[in-house]
Amino acid sequence: MRRNYSLGNRKVAIIGAGYVGSSIAYALALRDIARQIVLIDVNVEKTKGEAKDIRHGLSGMGTADLYAGDYSDCVDCDMIIITAGRGRRPGETRFDLTNENVKIIKSVIDSIKPYYTRGIILVISNPVDILTFKAAEWMSLPNGMVFGSGCILDSSRFVRVIADYVGLSTGVVNGYVVGEHGEGQVPVWSHVTVGGIPIAEYCSDVGLKWDDKIKKELAQKTRTMGSEIIAAKERTHYGIATCVCQLADAVINFRPTIMSVSSVLMGEHGVRDVALSVPSVVGPAGVQQRIREKWNPEEYRGFFDAVEHIRMAHSMVEV
């Protein structure tokens, strides 16, 4: 049953009720982050089934009102999460999805706009950097109110890989990935710490090997994790669902955080008119600030290579 709440009602709409959208709805409900969660998809019967399946387990935990709806339910949302689009198949890159998913996102944005009154729009669909740029262009909202999940999952994987290497929990490892969500991702080794200690110093202190070869191996493992999961089970969805919970909590529960997410750059690192991931303050207004920390020359080169790669991909987009 649908209920009406006042502004600031912690309402989230999820466009797309496939594996990713449904996993996000499930994770948000378990974490009790949103009060209202509405699933929207062209496959109405499947959407109703997904919503019922999640609702049936909430009586003993959580307070979310979760239901299947339509685009009219985008009214007064604090956050609209777009997961619609085709996912990668084994052997595909994210850019293989570009033209097909650009058309889908255009249709989604056209359907949202008549009912949009407020709220942040988060793009999950791939290739996320291109789709974020196009969604921001089509929505014409203030900069940062449309942003993409970008490198948040890559950064989480990066931290996991480092934690496994040093044999510690992820809670003591701090690190992130910038640039493109894909092959052009750039691990920012110059800012990786273990227990607040630069990783090279930490490894030296505890007798762990640390050199360029180790860094390349860990970066490559991070880069290929998504493809390996898709090869094994044909899709990824749990990891991104968990990461989206962090973003949703920051936005709708007023708990600003810093994450490497994708948004249209406005001169940061000398770059404009392209959406890429940099560490950003995410809060109720979306991407509220992009942090301009300094990287080493190799990291800058990787980032600018990603800029050119995304620009070239933009030139090939067909709408």
Side-chain angles (χ1 to χ4, degrees):
M1 181 178 67
R2 303 183 189 183
R3 302 170 187 167
N4 294 319
Y5 295 91
S6 60
L7 294 178
N9 53 24
R10 296 167 62 214
K11 179 181 178 184
V12 176
I14 301 172
I15 315 296
Y19 283 96
V20 173
S22 298
S23 296
I24 290 171
Y26 182 59
L28 290 175
L30 287 184
R31 288 279 307 276
D32 205 18
I33 288 173
R35 185 177 294 143
Q36 275 194 93
I37 304 169
V38 54
L39 271 172
I40 302 168
D41 194 285
V42 292
N43 189 336
V44 175
E45 288 307 308
K46 181 183 187 301
T47 308
K48 289 179 179 178
E50 295 286 3
K52 287 177 181 178
D53 193 16
I54 298 170
R55 281 173 64 91
H56 291 171
L58 295 181
S59 57
M61 59 187 303
T63 60
D65 179 16
L66 190 150
Y67 57 90
D70 54 41
Y71 281 102
S72 66
D73 291 296
C74 290
V75 169
D76 288 343
C77 278
D78 297 285
M79 193 171 199
I80 300 171
I81 302 172
I82 302 175
T83 73
R86 181 171 74 78
R88 279 196 294 166
R89 301 186 181 107
E92 284 188 322
T93 71
R94 294 171 180 88
F95 284 96
D96 291 326
L97 312 174
T98 301
N99 285 319
E100 191 172 345
N101 282 354
V102 164
K103 291 180 175 68
I104 292 172
I105 295 300
K106 179 65 165 65
S107 175
V108 167
I109 295 297
D110 287 344
S111 299
I112 290 171
K113 289 179 80 170
Y115 305 103
Y116 177 87
T117 55
R118 65 186 190 89
I120 302 308
I121 294 179
L122 171 63
V123 179
I124 309 295
S125 312
N126 276 314
V128 68
D129 300 305
I130 291 174
L131 299 184
T132 296
F133 182 85
K134 299 306 290 184
E137 175 187 321
W138 292 326
M139 284 299 300
S140 299
L141 297 175
N143 183 264
M145 288 189 68
V146 177
F147 70 98
S149 52
C151 288
I152 185 173
L153 179 55
D154 302 302
S155 297
S156 182
R157 289 169 173 164
F158 185 51
V159 168
R160 175 78 268 168
V161 166
I162 294 169
D164 289 345
Y165 179 71
V166 299
L168 296 171
S169 75
T170 55
V172 299
V173 177
N174 185 42
Y176 55 88
V177 172
V178 299
E180 172 197 332
H181 175 52
E183 292 301 308
Q185 63 182 245
V186 181
V188 183
W189 289 112
S190 59
H191 288 268
V192 174
T193 60
V194 179
I197 303 167
I199 189 167
E201 182 181 336
Y202 174 83
C203 288
S204 175
D205 286 346
V206 301
L208 270 176
K209 185 177 181 181
W210 189 253
D211 55 25
D212 287 343
K213 181 181 178 183
I214 296 296
K215 289 196 292 185
K216 287 179 181 178
E217 288 175 356
L218 297 180
Q220 180 65 9
K221 188 177 290 188
T222 303
R223 188 177 294 111
T224 59
M225 273 185 171
S227 297
E228 289 173 3
I229 294 169
I230 290 170
K233 56 172 275 187
E234 299 184 352
R235 60 189 61 86
T236 65
H237 49 105
Y238 296 127
I240 188 60
T242 306
C243 291
V244 168
C245 282
Q246 300 174 56
L247 297 174
D249 191 41
V251 170
I252 68 178
N253 292 323
F254 293 80
R255 292 178 178 144
T257 187
I258 297 176
M259 294 286 177
S260 186
V261 294
S262 182
S263 62
V264 180
L265 302 181
M266 302 292 286
E268 293 83 4
H269 305 294
V271 179
R272 289 182 177 273
D273 298 326
V274 67
L276 284 171
S277 290
V278 296
S280 305
V281 177
V282 179
V287 170
Q288 299 177 181
Q289 182 179 352
R290 285 173 285 270
I291 299 170
R292 302 172 187 244
E293 82 287 350
K294 294 180 180 179
W295 305 326
N296 68 34
E298 183 180 355
E299 291 158 357
Y300 274 116
R301 282 194 295 271
F303 183 76
F304 292 134
D305 285 346
V307 171
E308 292 308 309
H309 187 203
I310 293 295
R311 288 198 193 283
M312 185 178 299
H314 273 299
S315 69
M316 301 174 69
V317 169
E318 299 172 5
V319 181

